[in-house]
Amino acid sequence: MIPALDQYAKWGIAGIKVDFMQRNDQKLLNYYYKLANECAKRHMLVDFHGAQRGASLTRTWPNLISNEGVREWNGASGAWKPSRCTM
């Protein structure tokens, strides 16, 4: 994580999007906190796509811009479906 974020910051990347976590355990929440902290040190934004509802994350890490929308488009069926991140 650290070498990749350092390189992104060197390139002038403004933020990152993280997806496909597929779980909601304490280990993953610790990862969210660590990643948000490391990105904040580098003045980078974070978007956790498809993540669980981030209670208290945005208060602690204002660089966390989103946990993505409440609904996502399902192109195969042509319908809206609830996201894993329902509010």
Side-chain angles (χ1 to χ4, degrees):
M1 173 192 305
I2 303 302
L5 292 175
D6 287 341
Q7 185 64 52
Y8 297 157
K10 185 177 175 183
W11 288 338
I13 302 290
I16 62 170
K17 184 175 203 166
V18 182
D19 198 0
F20 300 110
M21 299 316 235
Q22 304 299 322
R23 60 184 218 232
N24 296 320
D25 58 10
Q26 186 62 50
K27 188 174 181 179
L28 182 60
L29 287 176
N30 292 342
Y31 174 79
Y32 286 163
Y33 271 83
K34 181 176 180 171
L35 183 59
N37 181 36
E38 293 298 329
C39 286
K41 289 179 186 177
R42 293 159 182 81
H43 306 284
M44 295 171 64
L45 300 171
V46 182
D47 178 5
F48 292 124
H49 181 265
Q52 76 171 30
R53 188 170 169 198
S56 80
L57 283 173
T58 54
R59 181 174 290 188
T60 305
W61 307 109
N63 59 312
L64 174 59
I65 58 171
S66 175
N67 283 20
E68 284 298 319
V70 174
R71 294 179 173 261
E72 294 181 357
W73 179 255
N74 182 343
S77 69
W80 290 99
K81 66 177 177 104
S83 172
R84 291 184 304 276
C85 174
T86 56
M87 301 282 181

